[in-house]
């Protein structure tokens, strides 16, 4: 799966969780840049990633997710 497709799906997951359908993201954005993205919603986002992409994220994957770009890269590696 291409990074662009992962990015779109990831944006949709995050937008749904934070209840912001018009959410605009960039690779360098993190949870601190998105209103409504807190520790509770982060767990919901992780769960959404796992179910949407059919993967299981390990704790080390989650710890290395510092921004949207990192999330896309880790998802892409887990899918491959």
């Amino acid at each position: 799966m291409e990074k662009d497709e992962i990015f779109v799906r990831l944006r949709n997951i995050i937008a749904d969780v934070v209840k912001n359908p018009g959410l605009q993201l960039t690779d360098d954005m993190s949870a601190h840049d998105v209103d409504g993205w807190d520790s509770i919603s982060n767990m919901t986002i992780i769960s959404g990633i796992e179910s949407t992409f059919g993967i299981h994220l390990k704790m080390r994957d989650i710890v290395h997710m510092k921004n949207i770009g990192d999330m896309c890269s880790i998802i892409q590696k887990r899918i491959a």
Side-chain angles (χ1 to χ4, degrees):
M1 184 177 298
E2 296 295 319
K3 184 180 176 192
D4 291 342
E5 186 178 351
I6 293 170
F7 186 89
V8 169
R9 288 184 180 192
L10 182 58
R11 190 212 70 81
N12 291 339
I13 293 166
I14 296 168
D16 185 53
V17 171
V18 300
K19 296 176 179 32
N20 181 352
L23 181 66
Q24 297 297 314
L25 296 176
T26 62
D27 280 348
D28 61 337
M29 291 176 77
S30 69
H32 299 289
D33 302 313
V34 179
D35 289 337
W37 189 345
D38 57 20
S39 58
I40 302 287
S41 60
N42 193 59
M43 297 307 295
T44 306
I45 290 167
I46 296 300
S47 177
I49 289 169
E50 290 179 330
S51 63
T52 298
F53 293 99
I55 59 176
H56 175 72
L57 296 169
K58 298 181 180 191
M59 184 57 74
R60 69 173 179 249
D61 294 328
I62 296 167
V63 169
H64 285 98
M65 292 179 171
K66 303 295 183 198
N67 58 38
I68 300 299
D70 291 345
M71 293 175 94
C72 288
S73 295
I74 290 169
I75 292 167
Q76 194 170 34
K77 287 178 189 173
R78 286 281 165 222
I79 291 172

